[in-house]
């Protein structure tokens, strides 16, 4: 067994228990001298610095060392209010708390979750220990900040912002000296502020050297769950914003805030200047206003700085409650503007039916993808375009460039991650300085990220990006700074990111073949491009389109097609998608002896693949799954969390199923 020395280090020997008891006696004598206010430099002898400093703070706060228990919150309503205000923390911690807590039965230990001020939100573990803990209010509603109950694991960890253990005599209040506790702060993944703590407590007999590491690991697990939940929340806020984005002027900026007033997305607000000339910090994660988790028109308008010029305040509704707000900001105006009426954002019932540029389509799934792409082009959010090879994903990337707020004259730079060897990939993407590696250009070289300045940077086949380079791209996206290879200073990254993939990146991330943090960063908005076989009569529409274009390119008359070809084309699976259809038309223009194409002119593989009369077992299974999901949505009135729970899957998996089956998501 090992024991902690007074300086916080660990000693390990056969007499550890005796040493621990000796340390406890020394700490107890030091505590008594401190309370007696005895003078002398050795008043803290044998006491860890963190503990003695906490004793001093406890005395200054007027804590009664003889009090019997911690204070408790007044009434269940106050605790319920705290739970609502800390819903993200409680939801993120629930899995870890209950999984670990149930394992503690019979161990004389308990696990505690608190919010940022030390009020207990959850307590679970050994039953006898939980009963004993009620006597000192170490249960739901108990208040364990230092200012309330003096030196203790929870309060001291929250005060210091570091994992802390407080063992036996180190407690300030005498009643607590038979307890041992190890706590670690839980930090907000966005701004790294302390938002709560997780604590392992029990009588002094549970003391082990690894208790503090256990608490820190539990806190890390909760922070990871928080990060995933916040990422999903940000994606949903962006999706809702895109569905009904407020009108913006050329010089207007856009800020998207979550329910705590933190900036989740920004567009056109770099160097935002308020009416009084001060520069407003608009970095992602920055708390622009303090909403305390309660979004309302009154709260937002009251909290906004009086010097901030804004033209529109739009609240965002998710799952039947207000969860965010979008601000349209007017910059450098001489006259103060008058805010327009506030509106609520809800997904539109019917998408616009439009086509764009070279994207030829009439089927609803394709039109929805075009509609979403045109809308997302108006905000500077990363876009992930998913679809099988040959579906025309890059056309959607170019559509974003065409609709890009900075204009069509800006650069469009595309990099195919699957066509560049990993040895030169980093230099191609980030560039290099003189002498960075053997063969580096003397004058250095700008990378593709720099070349895309003010335009659109497209990463094709991003699923092929080498795993070891993905953290560097993530850093660029988070910090908006590019570091050339061999360079110490950074350069601003000022381009719109569009990523293309024919893989299921969510599954790749779950399998560890793609970084999950990068996936969540580039997946702010996902555009699903359907395969050609699911586009119905679009096949004939594209056939006519490619026929006319190829005839023009070849200087020929358009082909005619024999009547039997229509059924063959509509029944064929088109594994190469639109690209295969385009290549087929070019082939037909080259091989047809006359100007009418017949079945004899088709490749043998197309003739062999006759349409199946009956759906395959896989198709029947897919149809059944789609029906089950739709019925679950009907049962739970569109509530995603309840649907996922009912189906026994996670929310990210539910998102993928919705995209896979082309089910329109309706949030309430």
């Amino acid at each position: 067994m090992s024991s902690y020395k007074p300086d916080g280090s660990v000693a390990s020997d056969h007499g550890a228990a005796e040493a621990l008891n000796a340390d406890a006696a020394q700490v107890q004598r030091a505590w008594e001298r401190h309370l007696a206010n005895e003078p002398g430099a050795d008043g803290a002898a044998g006491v860890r610095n963190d503990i003695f400093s906490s004793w001093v703070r406890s005395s200054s706060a007027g804590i009664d060392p003889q009090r019997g228990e911690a204070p408790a919150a007044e009434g269940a309503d106050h605790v319920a209010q705290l739970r609502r205000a800390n819903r993200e923390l409680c939801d993120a911690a629930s899995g870890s708390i209950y999984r670990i807590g149930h394992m503690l039965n019979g161990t004389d230990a308990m696990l505690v979750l608190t919010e940022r001020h030390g009020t207990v939100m959850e307590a679970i573990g050994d039953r006898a220990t939980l009963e004993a803990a009620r006597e000192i209010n170490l249960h739901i509603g108990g208040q364990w900040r230092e200012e309330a109950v003096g030196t203790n694991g929870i309060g001291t960890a929250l005060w210091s912002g570091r994992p802390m253990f407080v063992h036996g005599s180190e407690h300030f209040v005498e009643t607590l000296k038979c307890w041992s506790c190890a706590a670690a702060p839980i930090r907000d993944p966005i701004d790294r502020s302390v938002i709560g703590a997780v604590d392992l407590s029990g009588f002094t007999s549970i003391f082990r050297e690894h208790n503090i590491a256990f608490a820190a690991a539990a806190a890390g697990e909760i922070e990871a769950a928080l990060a995933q939940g916040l990422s999903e929340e940000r994606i949903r806020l962006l999706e809702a914003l895109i569905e009904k984005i407020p009108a913006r002027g050329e010089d207007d900026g856009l800020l998207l805030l979550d329910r705590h007033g933190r900036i989740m997305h920004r567009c056109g607000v770099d160097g935002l200047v308020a009416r009084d000339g001060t520069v407003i910090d608009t970095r992602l994660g920055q708390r622009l206003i303090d909403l305390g988790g309660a979004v309302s028109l009154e709260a937002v308008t009251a909290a906004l700085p009086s010097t901030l010029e804004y033209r529109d305040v739009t609240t965002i509704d998710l799952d039947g409650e207000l969860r965010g707000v979008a601000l349209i900001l007017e910059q450098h105006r001489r006259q103060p503007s008058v805010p327009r009426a506030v509106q609520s954002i809800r997904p539109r019932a019917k998408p616009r039916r439009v086509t764009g540029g070279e994207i030829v389509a009439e089927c609803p799934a394709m039109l929805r993808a075009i509609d979403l792409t045109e809308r997302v082009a108006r905000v500077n959010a990363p876009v992930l375009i998913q679809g099988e090879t040959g579906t025309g994903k890059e056309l959607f990337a170019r559509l974003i460039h065409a609709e890009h707020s900075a204009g069509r004259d800006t650069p469009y730079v595309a990099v195919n991650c699957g066509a560049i060897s990993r040895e030169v990939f980093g230099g191609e993407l980030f560039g290099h300085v003189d002498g960075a590696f053997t063969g580096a250009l003397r004058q250095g070289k700008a990378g593709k990220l720099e070349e895309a300045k003010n335009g659109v940077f497209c990463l094709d086949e991003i699923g092929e990006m080498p795993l070891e380079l993905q953290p560097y791209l993530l850093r660029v996206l988070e910090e908006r700074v590019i570091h050339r290879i061999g360079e110490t200073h950074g350069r601003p990254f000022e381009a719109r990111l569009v990523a293309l993939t024919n893989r299921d990146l969510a599954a790749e991330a779950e399998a560890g073949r793609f970084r999950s943090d990068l996936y969540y960063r580039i997946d702010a908005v996902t555009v699903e491009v359907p395969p050609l076989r699911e586009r119905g009569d679009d096949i004939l529409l594209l056939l006519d389109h490619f026929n006319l274009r190829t005839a023009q390119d070849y200087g020929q008359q358009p082909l005619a097609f024999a009547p039997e070809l229509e059924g063959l084309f509509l029944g064929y699976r088109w594994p190469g998608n639109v690209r295969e259809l385009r290549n087929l038309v070019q082939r037909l223009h080259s091989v047809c002896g006359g100007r009418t194409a017949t079945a004899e002119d088709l490749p043998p593989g197309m003739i062999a693949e006759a349409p199946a009369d009956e759906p395959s077992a896989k198709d029947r299974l897919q149809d059944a799954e789609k029906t089950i999901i739709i019925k679950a949505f009907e049962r739970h009135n569109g509530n995603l969390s309840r649907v996922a729970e009912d189906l026994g899957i996670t929310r990210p998996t539910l998102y993928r199923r919705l995209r896979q089956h082309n089910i329109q998501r309706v949030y309430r």
Side-chain angles (χ1 to χ4, degrees):
M1 177 180 175
S2 300
S3 65
Y4 285 98
K5 294 180 179 179
D7 62 359
S9 62
V10 178
S12 180
D13 55 40
H14 296 294
E18 291 80 359
L20 187 60
N21 291 332
D23 288 345
Q26 189 176 19
V27 170
Q28 179 68 17
R29 288 194 297 272
W31 176 74
E32 292 169 354
R33 289 196 301 273
H34 171 71
L35 294 185
N37 199 22
E38 293 182 2
D42 62 344
V47 183
R48 291 184 290 145
N49 291 334
D50 285 332
I51 297 299
F52 189 78
S53 297
S54 178
W55 286 355
V56 173
R57 293 192 299 271
S58 302
S59 297
S60 300
I63 302 298
D64 180 4
Q66 305 301 323
R67 71 173 302 153
E69 71 285 321
E74 297 180 2
D77 290 344
H78 180 66
V79 175
Q81 183 179 354
L82 283 176
R83 284 181 180 275
R84 287 192 297 271
N86 293 275
R87 181 176 58 193
E88 291 96 341
L89 172 63
C90 293
D91 289 348
S94 60
S96 299
I97 292 293
Y98 284 101
R99 176 175 54 80
I100 298 172
H102 286 303
M103 295 168 58
L104 296 179
N105 196 31
T107 65
D108 297 330
M110 59 185 289
L111 198 66
V112 174
L113 174 73
T114 80
E115 46 80 71
R116 73 186 69 222
H117 300 299
T119 302
V120 177
M121 298 283 97
E122 297 287 351
I124 191 170
D126 179 71
R127 293 181 180 178
T129 306
L130 288 170
E131 285 299 319
R134 295 186 69 86
E135 298 179 4
I136 57 172
N137 277 340
L138 186 57
H139 64 106
I140 294 175
Q143 298 179 353
W144 286 84
R145 63 187 185 279
E146 267 196 0
E147 300 89 336
V149 72
T151 308
N152 71 92
I154 295 169
T156 307
L158 288 172
W159 189 93
S160 66
R162 293 181 287 112
M164 295 287 295
F165 74 90
V166 176
H167 176 64
S169 298
E170 292 180 327
H171 287 88
F172 184 78
V173 173
E174 188 168 22
T175 311
L176 307 180
K177 291 183 181 292
C178 58
W179 287 81
S180 183
C181 47
I186 301 169
R187 293 188 177 273
D188 187 296
I190 297 178
D191 59 18
R192 303 306 297 164
S193 62
V194 174
I195 59 173
V198 61
D199 168 70
L200 182 70
S201 282
F203 291 114
T204 52
S205 59
I206 74 161
F207 178 80
R208 299 291 186 275
E209 65 177 79
H210 57 256
N211 286 4
I212 192 168
F214 180 92
E221 190 173 315
I222 294 169
E223 288 177 1
L226 269 170
Q228 181 172 342
L230 287 171
S231 178
E232 293 177 6
E233 177 91 347
R234 179 175 182 270
I235 291 170
R236 293 188 62 198
L237 288 173
L238 278 169
E239 287 178 339
L241 173 64
I242 291 164
E243 293 290 348
K244 192 179 180 183
I245 184 171
R248 291 173 53 203
E250 184 176 347
D251 297 325
D252 290 344
L254 168 68
L255 287 179
L256 174 62
L257 311 180
D258 69 0
R259 68 192 191 100
H260 297 287
R262 298 174 300 197
I263 298 174
M264 295 289 101
H265 176 73
R266 63 179 189 172
C267 184
V269 292
D270 290 332
L272 178 62
V273 179
R275 187 183 294 120
D276 61 357
T278 58
V279 177
I280 297 176
D281 190 348
T282 57
R283 289 174 297 175
L284 292 179
Q286 187 71 20
R287 193 181 298 271
L288 181 70
I289 54 180
D290 189 0
L291 293 177
V295 179
S296 67
L297 171 59
E298 295 76 13
V300 172
T301 54
L304 283 172
S306 59
T307 57
L308 185 65
E309 296 183 87
Y310 60 96
R311 184 169 54 78
D312 186 280
V313 178
T314 306
T315 53
I316 299 177
D317 182 284
L318 294 178
D319 295 337
E321 66 175 319
L322 299 181
R323 299 270 282 277
V325 60
L327 302 176
I328 299 297
L329 306 174
E330 295 183 337
Q331 303 183 66
H332 310 296
R333 293 177 60 91
R334 295 182 179 179
Q335 299 296 327
S337 57
V338 179
R340 296 192 310 165
V342 172
Q343 55 183 322
S344 289
I345 293 180
R346 295 179 185 273
R348 293 184 304 177
K350 296 180 180 179
R352 288 183 294 123
R353 299 179 60 84
V354 297
T355 57
E358 288 289 318
I359 305 177
V360 178
E362 284 185 351
C363 82
M366 198 68 172
L367 291 177
R368 284 195 293 271
I370 295 169
D371 180 50
L372 176 59
T373 302
E374 290 182 331
R375 283 184 277 113
V376 77
R378 305 170 199 162
V379 296
N380 192 22
V383 181
L384 179 64
I385 301 175
Q386 293 190 146
E388 295 178 7
T389 299
T391 52
K393 297 185 291 295
E394 190 178 0
L395 292 177
F396 282 83
R398 291 191 175 275
L399 178 58
I400 290 175
H401 180 241
E403 300 289 331
H404 187 41
S405 58
R408 300 188 181 192
D409 295 333
T410 58
Y412 175 86
V413 177
V415 173
N416 189 321
C417 300
I420 305 176
S421 67
R422 66 179 59 232
E423 290 76 19
V424 300
F425 193 94
E428 187 75 12
L429 204 62
F430 302 101
H432 64 263
V433 297
D434 178 23
F437 50 82
T438 303
L441 297 178
R442 183 178 299 275
Q443 69 275 22
K445 179 179 180 294
K448 298 296 186 183
L449 286 163
E450 280 186 69
E451 293 177 7
K453 183 176 181 180
N454 296 325
V456 170
F457 179 68
C458 176
L459 275 173
D460 196 3
E461 296 187 33
I462 191 172
E464 305 293 333
M465 174 177 281
L467 198 61
E468 64 269 20
L469 289 176
Q470 293 178 19
Y472 299 101
L473 177 62
L474 178 64
R475 180 181 177 187
V476 169
L477 298 179
E478 289 182 339
E479 300 179 1
R480 308 297 293 181
V481 174
I482 305 167
H483 287 86
R484 291 187 184 182
I485 295 176
E487 188 174 51
T488 56
H489 68 277
R491 304 164 186 263
F493 174 59
E494 301 170 334
R496 175 73 178 277
L497 176 72
V498 180
L500 316 181
T501 184
N502 59 10
R503 297 187 179 189
D504 184 346
L505 280 193
E508 293 290 294
E510 288 180 0
R513 293 186 293 268
F514 194 87
R515 287 184 64 101
S516 58
D517 47 5
L518 178 58
Y519 167 67
Y520 288 120
R521 190 67 181 80
I522 65 175
D523 188 38
V525 179
T526 299
V527 176
E528 293 283 351
V529 183
L532 183 57
R533 62 183 172 274
E534 295 179 3
R535 292 175 57 181
D537 288 344
D538 272 8
I539 295 171
L540 303 180
L541 191 68
L542 285 162
L543 179 67
D544 182 59
H545 170 75
F546 288 129
N547 184 26
L548 294 174
R549 194 173 76 175
T550 304
Q552 185 179 13
D553 291 343
Y554 288 9
Q556 300 174 344
Q557 291 297 315
L559 290 173
F561 296 93
E564 69 269 15
L565 291 187
E566 178 175 329
L568 284 171
F569 286 161
L570 291 176
Y572 182 56
R573 298 290 294 170
W574 298 105
N577 290 294
V578 178
R579 184 181 300 149
E580 183 182 3
L581 176 57
R582 181 197 63 196
N583 294 342
L584 173 65
V585 173
Q586 292 174 346
R587 167 196 165 98
L588 292 175
H589 270 269
S590 301
V591 303
C592 282
R595 301 311 300 160
T596 299
T598 67
E600 295 179 355
D601 299 312
L602 299 179
M606 289 192 66
I607 303 299
E609 188 182 312
D613 294 331
E614 295 293 333
S616 66
K618 180 180 178 181
D619 290 337
R620 291 196 298 272
L621 184 62
Q622 294 286 333
D623 291 342
E625 183 180 65
K626 182 175 181 178
T627 301
I628 290 171
I629 294 174
I630 291 174
K631 288 186 177 298
F633 264 82
E634 293 173 352
R635 283 196 303 273
H636 299 291
N637 200 20
N639 187 301
L640 285 172
S641 297
R642 293 177 181 173
V643 170
E645 182 179 359
D646 187 358
L647 298 175
I649 58 178
T650 64
R651 280 183 59 141
T653 300
L654 178 58
Y655 282 129
R656 292 199 300 276
R657 293 290 189 270
L658 293 175
R659 291 197 295 262
Q660 176 184 340
H661 295 299
N662 195 25
I663 299 174
Q664 181 69 34
R665 283 175 281 176
V666 180
Y667 302 126
R668 53 176 284 274

